[in-house]
Amino acid sequence: MTEVCTVTGGGGFIGAHLVKYLVKKGNKVRVIDNMARGSESRFSDVAEDVELFTADVRDREAVGKAIKGSDVVYHLAAINGTENFYREPELVLDVGLRGALAVVEACRDVGVTNLVVASSAEVYQTPPKVPTNEDVALMLPNSLNPRYSYGGSKIVSELIAFNYAQEHFEKVQCFRPHNVYGPNMGWKHVVPQFLTRAIEARETGNSTFEIQSDGSETRAFAFVDDVVKGIVLMRERGEHRQVYHIGSEEEVTIKELVKLTGDTVGFPLDIVSKDAFEGGTPRRCPDITKMRALGYDPHVDLKSGIAKTAEWYEAHRDKMPSNALM
């Protein structure tokens, strides 16, 4: 199935990988991104086949002009990254809420009837069971904690998408990605931070490696190539007004991730625990049964994915911002 596809946030990490995958599948692809945090360079190898609209996703009129004639809109634009949740919660909320409203209303304005919305595992923060399926209750533990600016915005985004969808749309779906990682994902997420810090440790010979808490927390990291294939598979085979978890079931502790990072860069690391930020989650791993029923099967194991990611960060050390190791 080839389509005219518009990707909001197409200059971001997951967005750009999705753009490249859609182009390679023969689709006509448009991107909406103001490039405040994204970069056209992320999809440079297919840039000639992409129509770029440099616009703010909160601008309903601009979004409408960009998506007119599209078969489907993939709405991924957001301010992500745990550091941003604490430091810029107002911006996180503003882009999350007003962006979702602008996209859904623009779709109705110009007659686009298919919408895919990126949500997040943050919508239930600390899940009541792990592995976690899509039916768990959504939860905002504490409105005073800025960390939940992102999870809160995603809860509202799901509400906007599904409730606006009841009359106008043919198909609206939400996917909740779980700890996606890979090359060129930026510098402020756990995997690139661990890798860049490990590379720096190797160069200085200082093996001390500080982490929040004791490292017993678990995550299930999903390689970005698997995730974008899952998004498109969901679009093609999934149902209207449904939520799907997209990720991996390979659950590891943060301690194990540190060891794998050190092994990958060729320098063993000595963990030192420090106080964690309030609001973290002790365990997270998705139940992907619902996606597997559509044919989803992630292929890249964590060891291989970390190696591929490390290769990119080794090759682009000169691009690392001065505050990346803070």
Side-chain angles (χ1 to χ4, degrees):
M1 178 170 64
T2 58
E3 299 180 304
V4 178
C5 307
T6 300
V7 180
T8 75
F13 167 53
I14 300 176
H17 280 273
L18 176 61
V19 166
K20 291 188 287 187
Y21 184 65
L22 288 169
V23 169
K24 289 172 182 176
K25 283 178 66 71
N27 298 284
K28 182 177 180 180
V29 180
R30 304 170 183 171
V31 166
I32 301 173
D33 201 313
N34 64 4
M35 298 303 173
R37 298 176 70 247
S39 174
E40 188 177 355
S41 66
R42 281 192 167 120
F43 56 84
S44 59
D45 50 338
V46 298
E48 291 184 359
D49 299 306
V50 173
E51 187 175 5
L52 174 61
F53 293 84
T54 306
D56 192 310
V57 73
R58 294 167 289 185
D59 185 337
R60 174 176 169 177
E61 183 177 353
V63 171
K65 290 178 180 178
I67 68 175
K68 188 174 183 179
S70 297
D71 295 305
V72 59
V73 172
Y74 293 87
H75 176 47
L76 277 70
I79 305 297
N80 200 353
T82 304
E83 195 170 299
N84 291 316
F85 307 163
Y86 287 102
R87 293 187 177 182
E88 298 186 273
E90 183 176 346
L91 181 62
V92 170
L93 284 162
D94 193 52
V95 173
L97 302 184
R98 292 208 289 141
L101 279 170
V103 168
V104 172
E105 291 176 343
C107 284
R108 298 200 305 185
D109 291 343
V110 301
V112 176
T113 59
N114 293 282
L115 176 64
V116 172
V117 174
S119 183
S120 170
E122 294 277 344
V123 296
Y124 43 73
Q125 183 49 29
T126 302
K129 59 179 178 179
V130 182
T132 308
N133 63 21
E134 291 86 350
D135 297 329
V136 299
L138 309 190
M139 184 177 67
L140 185 69
N142 179 7
S143 60
L144 298 178
N145 188 334
R147 179 192 174 91
Y148 306 125
S149 56
Y150 184 71
S153 75
K154 290 300 186 181
I155 290 173
V156 176
S157 294
E158 290 193 19
L159 287 169
I160 290 169
F162 289 133
N163 287 285
Y164 278 60
Q166 295 191 68
E167 295 182 3
H168 170 75
F169 291 90
E170 293 179 11
K171 185 187 279 190
V172 172
Q173 303 156 311
C174 287
F175 68 93
R176 296 178 188 153
H178 283 64
N179 292 95
V180 186
Y181 74 99
N184 199 7
M185 70 178 295
W187 307 89
K188 294 296 185 180
H189 299 271
V190 62
V191 169
Q193 283 194 338
F194 277 19
L195 284 170
T196 52
R197 288 173 55 204
I199 292 167
E200 179 74 9
R202 185 189 64 201
E203 297 303 310
T204 62
N206 181 4
S207 64
T208 300
F209 198 86
E210 289 189 345
I211 61 171
Q212 293 182 37
S213 193
D214 62 0
S216 62
E217 301 90 343
T218 72
R219 296 293 184 268
F221 294 92
F223 194 66
V224 65
D225 289 354
D226 284 331
V227 170
V228 297
K229 290 175 184 176
I231 295 169
V232 176
L233 180 69
M234 179 197 73
R235 156 69 187 142
E236 294 174 348
R237 300 182 185 177
E239 297 179 6
H240 178 45
R241 300 185 80 241
Q242 288 292 312
V243 177
Y244 295 86
H245 282 172
I246 301 182
S248 166
E249 296 163 321
E250 186 183 359
E251 188 177 6
V252 298
T253 66
I254 298 302
K255 274 186 179 179
E256 290 169 333
L257 179 63
V258 172
K259 183 180 186 307
L260 177 57
T261 301
D263 291 346
T264 301
V265 304
F267 187 72
L269 301 168
D270 296 317
I271 292 175
V272 175
S273 298
K274 64 177 184 178
D275 293 340
F277 287 123
E278 181 184 353
T281 303
R283 189 179 176 203
R284 181 171 288 155
C285 178
D287 181 337
I288 58 174
T289 301
K290 195 171 176 180
M291 278 298 300
R292 285 194 183 279
L294 302 181
Y296 175 66
D297 184 21
H299 291 291
V300 182
D301 63 72
L302 186 60
K303 182 177 180 180
S304 300
I306 291 293
K308 292 178 182 180
T309 307
E311 184 178 349
W312 189 92
Y313 281 93
E314 290 267 22
H316 293 83
R317 291 178 63 193
D318 58 324
K319 302 288 196 307
M320 182 174 67
S322 58
N323 63 348
L325 299 177
M326 296 174 61

